[in-house]
Amino acid sequence: MFQESASVSAPLRPAQDTTKMPPPSQNILLASREGNVVCEWALETAHSPQPAYYYVLRVHMSLPTKTDDSFHGQTIQIAKLPPGLNSQCSSALDFLDWAARLVCVGSGGRHAATVQIILPAQDGCIVRADILRQRLAISKSVERVEEFVSLDQHMTAFQESQGASTDLLSILSYAAGAILEQQHIQSSSSVNQELQARLSFPWICPAPWTPKRLVLVGCRPEVIMEKWLTAAFNLGIHITIVGQHGRWLQHQGFCQSVEKYIDIDMELDGGLADRIADALIRDGTAYDGITTFTDTYFVDVARAAVRLKLPTAPLSAVETAVDKYKTRSLFPGDCNSFQVDSSAEFRQSMSDGLVTAYPLIVKPSQGWASEGVSKVTNEAELFAAVAALEPAKHGTHIVIETYLDGPEVDANFVLQDGKILFYELVDDFPCTSERDDLPGQENFLETEMLYPSNLPPNESDIIRDELRSMLVKLGFHTGVFHLEARITNSSMAYTSANGVDLRPHGKQLTKAPTATLLEINQRAPGIMAQYITAFKSGVDWTALQLLAALKDTVRFTALAHEYAPEAQPITAIVFINTEFPGTYNGECFAVDLKRRRPDLGAMVYQGGSYYHYTNPIATAPNLVGHLLVSSDKGRKHILAAAKEMRREIRLPITPFRA
């Protein structure tokens, strides 16, 4: 893989201007291990109504124009540093030495470099070990970023009055980390704006980190596990995985994150909750929380948490949320629905006149993603869809409900005591069978998701407020939540003129817009959304779910802060589907796309195929991969690029022989 809507609460909006503190500028000669460079350095800080979160020591390096002997000023020799330097100063000097070497050897045609040293403005510990990399590494202005402190290392705030000091080594002793600016940057003002947009939040916690132990139930493929275990490692959380055959992770380099593996029978037979609790009781370790990212385990994990006296949402809320019919009954919106357990019961429902109009949606009452979901337009399709779900994979219940004609959205929430800390609204484009530009595809696969939504503010507010109210009414007050909904009676509709997009339809509205809930997931969004939200907004869904399970309110609240709006590009998930089964016999389609079309590849942040050489794709239609795409040129540009990518992608799939 490549690498890798505004919050309701008032966003932090630091001022864009910066004021240099004394000294205005100082020159030193840095004698690095590769050669000498002249460094001009100055201290800067952002002034805004909010408290300062950091200061910046800007160091610009260039080759000397005179001999070393003629230089008058302070000289720092890396090879002959004085004793007693603290680890932060040593790490900062190592970073400066590394950057100086690039200048001395002219690496990549570079004969100058600018380093920004980040100095904390508050006492405390960093909120996560990789916080600077997580917030800054994806910036187009930054070439490299490093932290100089560990998760449990207490930092002393650099005071503005200390800027009068001309002792560079003393200043570096406060360093939390550093960045190297990209070569193409003409002025550091753009970098300063990036820092302000991404680091103006409480990323330093006053209290030291206390190690916690968390149980993670379920074992998924590496591409999914890696995101969760990386977050746990950088949060200092010791993970115990409960799941059948979970020890395969020991061979994938995750041993730093995972403290223990407990294998149990994960059959969904009504006894899973007790098997989880019994295994953890026998283990004898004192755990601080338990969670899962697998929908089918939600109820059992909540029941196990009750037995173990660990934090959990109310069991009644969890049981209702995982059951689509129970959720629909509680929040019907503009949708009519009924539930059956068998084809015989369904025929009786037909006789009772419960089916009144098409199209309809047929789906299992418990399931995940779009698994088992069908859109039917006549009686024959309806009977076939019901028969296909009997017996259902996730239970015997089958839900039949009205198909709602309105824009579908994903609404993702971070709640703390019922208050929205972070919220994003995402346009979920029509599925393959609903798109005029994808002829011949009669399936129910996703096509694109676009961030942020194009719905007008009043409709976005309706969705946000109504869905939050539903969560709270159900009993969910704190955590991360991934909801799917439709806005009925919307002023917007998907049209295909000049490319499919959500646009005003111009029709007279006879009713007020209403949010109709489709489903609730009390977890982070899927893996693709996890990556794209971290890229676009700086919010790591996996980290937040882990912290919510531990009731770590301070870090949970801090890490829910998003980037300032000006730092958030338009982003999209482009789903790549195949219409026929076969064998994947080639390289990743994204690698091929980047090589043949570098103009399109430059917009791809992350993505690729879920299959590799000789992997069989047993069923079709099927989702075979995705691309995460970003653009600074707006919504129209990113949609045109996505369309072009679909045309250019070559899937190396060899059909099975008849």
Side-chain angles (χ1 to χ4, degrees), residues 211-215 237-240 259 285-289 550:
K212 302 286 186 181
R213 283 186 165 83
L214 178 68
V215 178
I237 300 172
H238 303 296
I239 295 290
T240 290
E259 186 176 52
T285 303
Y287 291 103
D288 302 290
L550 294 169

Side-chain angles (χ1 to χ4, degrees), residues 367-383:
W368 53 2
S370 298
E371 187 176 38
V373 179
S374 300
K375 177 185 175 184
V376 299
T377 58
N378 56 56
E379 185 174 298
E381 292 177 355
L382 179 56
F383 273 99

Side-chain angles (χ1 to χ4, degrees), residues 17-39:
D17 62 312
T18 59
T19 303
K20 291 184 178 181
M21 302 183 303
S25 182
Q26 294 288 331
N27 290 325
I28 65 167
L29 185 70
L30 183 67
S32 78
R33 294 179 178 87
E34 192 69 40
N36 297 340
V37 295
V38 174
C39 301

Side-chain angles (χ1 to χ4, degrees), residues 220-492:
R220 303 277 289 282
E222 178 182 355
V223 66
I224 296 176
M225 298 296 291
E226 181 179 14
K227 189 79 171 66
W228 290 85
L229 298 181
T230 297
F233 176 76
N234 286 295
L235 291 168
I237 300 172
H238 303 296
I239 295 290
T240 290
I241 291 181
V242 173
Q244 204 161 22
H245 310 304
R247 285 187 170 84
W248 69 268
L249 290 168
Q250 291 176 318
H251 305 293
Q252 305 296 327
F254 294 129
C255 55
Q256 288 183 304
S257 307
V258 182
E259 186 176 52
K260 194 179 304 181
Y261 303 85
I262 299 177
D263 289 345
I264 66 170
D265 178 5
M266 298 296 289
E267 185 69 25
L268 298 169
D269 56 5
L272 179 57
D274 286 333
R275 290 196 297 275
I276 294 171
D278 291 342
L280 295 173
I281 291 170
R282 285 194 304 269
D283 175 58
T285 303
Y287 291 103
D288 302 290
I290 185 171
T291 190
T292 183
F293 44 57
T294 304
D295 296 11
T296 50
Y297 299 151
F298 284 159
V299 173
D300 290 295
V301 169
R303 289 171 179 166
V306 172
R307 272 195 61 189
L308 297 166
K309 296 181 171 54
L310 295 176
T312 183
L315 185 56
S316 60
V318 178
E319 290 175 335
T320 300
V322 301
D323 190 309
K324 294 180 174 62
Y325 183 70
K326 287 183 179 179
T327 306
R328 171 68 64 237
S329 300
L330 191 60
F331 306 112
D334 290 335
C335 187
N336 297 318
S337 66
F338 63 95
Q339 179 176 273
V340 297
D341 292 340
S342 65
S343 294
E345 185 178 349
F346 168 66
R347 291 188 185 92
Q348 182 60 47
S349 301
M350 292 286 288
S351 300
D352 294 341
L354 294 180
V355 176
T356 57
Y358 294 95
L360 296 169
I361 294 295
V362 181
K363 59 187 179 183
S365 61
Q366 296 187 34
W368 53 2
S370 298
E371 187 176 38
V373 179
S374 300
K375 177 185 175 184
V376 299
T377 58
N378 56 56
E379 185 174 298
E381 292 177 355
L382 179 56
F383 273 99
V386 172
L389 291 178
E390 183 192 10
K393 180 178 178 181
H394 300 291
T396 59
H397 301 311
I398 303 167
V399 179
I400 301 165
E401 62 185 21
T402 308
Y403 172 77
L404 298 176
D405 186 15
E408 183 171 343
V409 294
D410 282 6
N412 301 319
F413 292 84
V414 179
L415 294 184
Q416 175 66 47
D417 296 327
K419 177 185 176 182
I420 298 176
L421 300 182
F422 173 72
Y423 167 73
E424 63 180 3
L425 190 64
V426 186
D427 286 335
D428 193 349
F429 274 50
C431 69
T432 48
S433 64
E434 299 173 308
R435 299 218 6 194
D436 297 335
D437 61 335
L438 298 174
Q441 299 194 31
E442 300 301 326
N443 45 67
F444 208 64
L445 297 177
E446 292 182 295
T447 57
E448 272 126 30
M449 300 180 73
L450 201 59
Y451 299 61
S453 172
N454 208 32
L455 288 173
N458 68 307
E459 295 184 18
S460 298
D461 291 347
I462 288 171
I463 294 173
R464 180 197 65 203
D465 295 343
E466 291 189 7
L467 295 187
R468 188 208 71 89
S469 178
M470 292 177 191
L471 286 171
V472 173
K473 182 178 179 180
L474 201 55
F476 293 117
H477 296 276
T478 297
V480 298
F481 304 93
H482 167 61
L483 280 66
E484 298 178 14
R486 282 189 185 266
I487 180 81
T488 55
N489 307 310
S490 172
S491 61
M492 309 286 283

Side-chain angles (χ1 to χ4, degrees), residues 377-631:
T377 58
N378 56 56
E379 185 174 298
E381 292 177 355
L382 179 56
F383 273 99
V386 172
L389 291 178
E390 183 192 10
K393 180 178 178 181
H394 300 291
T396 59
H397 301 311
I398 303 167
V399 179
I400 301 165
E401 62 185 21
T402 308
Y403 172 77
L404 298 176
D405 186 15
E408 183 171 343
V409 294
D410 282 6
N412 301 319
F413 292 84
V414 179
L415 294 184
Q416 175 66 47
D417 296 327
K419 177 185 176 182
I420 298 176
L421 300 182
F422 173 72
Y423 167 73
E424 63 180 3
L425 190 64
V426 186
D427 286 335
D428 193 349
F429 274 50
C431 69
T432 48
S433 64
E434 299 173 308
R435 299 218 6 194
D436 297 335
D437 61 335
L438 298 174
Q441 299 194 31
E442 300 301 326
N443 45 67
F444 208 64
L445 297 177
E446 292 182 295
T447 57
E448 272 126 30
M449 300 180 73
L450 201 59
Y451 299 61
S453 172
N454 208 32
L455 288 173
N458 68 307
E459 295 184 18
S460 298
D461 291 347
I462 288 171
I463 294 173
R464 180 197 65 203
D465 295 343
E466 291 189 7
L467 295 187
R468 188 208 71 89
S469 178
M470 292 177 191
L471 286 171
V472 173
K473 182 178 179 180
L474 201 55
F476 293 117
H477 296 276
T478 297
V480 298
F481 304 93
H482 167 61
L483 280 66
E484 298 178 14
R486 282 189 185 266
I487 180 81
T488 55
N489 307 310
S490 172
S491 61
M492 309 286 283
Y494 283 100
T495 61
S496 56
N498 299 317
V500 174
D501 197 7
L502 187 62
R503 303 179 176 93
H505 55 62
K507 300 177 183 178
Q508 183 70 33
L509 297 177
T510 58
K511 296 181 180 179
T514 303
T516 299
L517 177 67
L518 299 181
E519 63 179 66
I520 294 175
N521 301 284
Q522 63 268 29
R523 56 160 171 81
I527 185 67
M528 292 167 285
Q530 293 168 23
Y531 276 110
I532 208 165
T533 300
F535 171 78
K536 176 185 182 294
S537 304
V539 173
D540 184 349
W541 286 110
T542 55
L544 291 173
Q545 182 170 335
L546 298 176
L547 293 170
L550 294 169
K551 283 201 166 182
D552 187 337
T553 304
V554 173
R555 285 166 176 77
F556 180 78
T557 303
L559 291 175
H561 283 85
E562 62 184 311
Y563 299 148
E566 61 269 18
Q568 299 191 34
I570 299 288
T571 52
I573 304 174
V574 180
F575 297 95
I576 308 302
N577 306 306
T578 180
E579 282 298 298
F580 56 87
T583 302
Y584 201 95
N585 279 318
E587 67 179 347
C588 171
F589 62 78
V591 173
D592 175 67
L593 176 68
K594 289 176 81 75
R595 182 176 58 250
R596 290 187 296 103
R597 291 291 304 271
D599 57 325
L600 296 175
M603 298 177 62
V604 178
Y605 158 61
Q606 189 256 19
S609 172
Y610 304 152
Y611 297 86
H612 306 285
Y613 285 96
T614 73
N615 281 173
I617 303 173
T619 60
N622 205 331
L623 173 66
V624 296
H626 71 274
L627 299 171
L628 304 186
V629 183
S630 69
S631 172

